[in-house]
Amino acid sequence: MSTDIAADRTADVEAIENVIRTVEHSQNNELPDDFLALFRHDAVWTTGGGKRLFGLDEIAAFTRQVLPGGMQGMTVTFELEHILFIRPDVAAVKVRQVYRTPDGPDVGSPLWVMAKEDGQWLLTACQNTGVHDDELVTQTASRPVFGSGD
């Protein structure tokens, strides 16, 4: 991971890493409420398939539709790659996301803009993008996750 942080940002980095771990855990265990608790009420989320969701109500409706059963036969891992603290309470967080599926791996490169409110880092504006030129992605016509249009 690379960051632009000073030593006094250690607690913020740890809190952001905890959000990443919670996203991973909630997706792998299909726990929509745990996932949704990480968002601001007015968050913006764009899925890996390009679906644009505005506000927690839309994000929740989509999540509750796709997450239960959506991870069947798959697991996902998230790795923190970079944090840019835009201001003390706003961070751009780059994550490497690897889905392991029966059809092979599928890699995403989310960018999460997070805001710190009442001491808690929350997902605020997030964009997920499939990575087509990653060493894990094989030369197949199938993209099990990022080709699905979700």
Side-chain angles (χ1 to χ4, degrees):
M1 174 193 72
S2 62
T3 62
D4 69 337
I5 61 172
D8 62 342
R9 298 313 308 237
T10 301
D12 289 318
V13 172
E14 289 174 359
I16 289 168
E17 288 174 331
N18 188 53
V19 170
I20 294 168
R21 283 190 299 275
T22 303
V23 170
E24 179 178 296
H25 177 80
S26 66
Q27 286 192 7
N28 280 320
N29 294 284
E30 299 184 345
L31 303 169
D33 291 335
D34 290 4
F35 178 69
L36 295 168
L38 302 171
F39 287 88
R40 277 175 44 133
H41 74 281
D42 58 351
V44 176
W45 181 271
T46 303
T47 70
K51 186 169 185 70
R52 296 174 309 277
L53 305 168
F54 302 98
L56 187 55
D57 289 344
E58 283 188 20
I59 296 166
F62 176 81
T63 300
R64 289 193 170 101
Q65 177 184 357
V66 300
L67 191 54
M71 292 300 294
Q72 187 173 10
M74 292 191 292
T75 59
V76 65
T77 57
F78 291 85
E79 174 188 344
L80 175 60
E81 289 188 314
H82 186 80
I83 299 173
L84 170 64
F85 285 98
I86 300 166
R87 333 186 296 215
D89 62 342
V90 177
V93 180
K94 196 66 178 159
V95 180
R96 185 169 191 262
Q97 172 187 52
V98 179
Y99 284 92
R100 302 218 182 264
T101 78
D103 297 326
D106 212 349
V107 179
S109 182
L111 175 63
W112 298 342
V113 176
M114 299 178 71
K116 187 176 184 181
E117 296 186 4
D118 298 322
Q120 181 180 2
W121 285 96
L122 297 173
L123 299 169
T124 303
C126 306
Q127 170 78 42
N128 199 355
T129 303
V131 178
H132 297 279
D133 191 22
D134 186 274
E135 66 270 10
L136 288 180
V137 179
T138 58
Q139 297 295 326
T140 66
S142 173
R143 289 301 302 264
V145 176
F146 292 104
S148 67
D150 287 337

